[in-house]
Amino acid sequence: AQKITQTQPGMFVQEKEAVTLDCTYDTSDQSYGLFWYKQPSSGEMIFLIYQGSYDEQNATEGRYSLNFQKARKSANLVISASQLGDSAMYFCAMREGRYTGNQFYFGTGTSLTVIP
Amino acid sequence: DTGVSQNPRHKITKRGQNVTFRCDPISEHNRLYWYRQTLGQGPEFLTYFQNEAQLEKSRLLSDRFSAERPKGSFSTLEIQRTEQGDSAMYLCASNLGETQYFGPGTRLLVL
């Protein structure tokens, strides 16, 4: 079974609107971390936001927020007030277990296009 | 620049040749990871170092692949007898705490 599932291969959003990118995960560990990365066409993976499995509040970083629904095993990324520079691939990732050195599992990504 | 750096950024080689990539992590980070990313996919884990010790290797890492981190600082990833299926982006990441920070990657094309 896939550890991370991103079901939206491509998404479009009007500039200045909000958009939600979906991510579901599969783990039997009680302790894990969830991450979102942005990958522009240049190829570099840019860290956006992190949510720990024991964090009770949804993580926020500027225009990014993570809608964490533990029972549903979902960790959707919400981007508010979209900008043209937000056009990129977005990857959801998970680290299983308590050890922060564990490898990350990535989804297949969602391509976001912001329309002027 | 205090981020993760990788060299070269691009490499074109002929099938059967050996290639070596270098990764310089963020200086205080003791953990270093290699991932491979093919078109339309997310990064896939290859191997991981804590300081100079290679602690984990993926099944993806065939015996043609070898990675080192001799002094616990920079790391090298060597692919011997390259095959066309090795064409991919090779990403390096490092961390100290929760988050892995990635380098710009090395894009390999095997002709």
Side-chain angles (χ1 to χ4, degrees), chain A residues 81-116:
Chain A
S82 297
Q83 302 172 355
L84 296 178
D86 294 335
S87 294
M89 285 292 292
Y90 288 81
F91 290 95
C92 180
M94 176 177 65
R95 171 196 45 77
E96 287 185 302
R98 298 183 62 182
Y99 179 51
T100 57
N102 289 343
Q103 64 165 293
F104 281 21
Y105 297 94
F106 285 84
T108 52
T110 295
S111 175
L112 176 67
T113 301
V114 180
I115 304 167

Side-chain angles (χ1 to χ4, degrees), chain A residues 3 5 17 19 25-26 28-29 36 42 44 52 58 60 66 68 73 75 81 84 87 92 95 99 101-102 104 106 111:
Chain A
K3 297 276 188 185
T5 301
E17 297 293 311
V19 63
Y25 58 93
D26 181 27
S28 56
D29 287 351
W36 278 91
S42 60
E44 185 167 357
N58 287 342
T60 60
L66 199 152
F68 181 44
K73 293 189 174 179
L84 296 178
S87 294
C92 180
R95 171 196 45 77
Y99 179 51
N102 289 343
F104 281 21
F106 285 84
S111 175

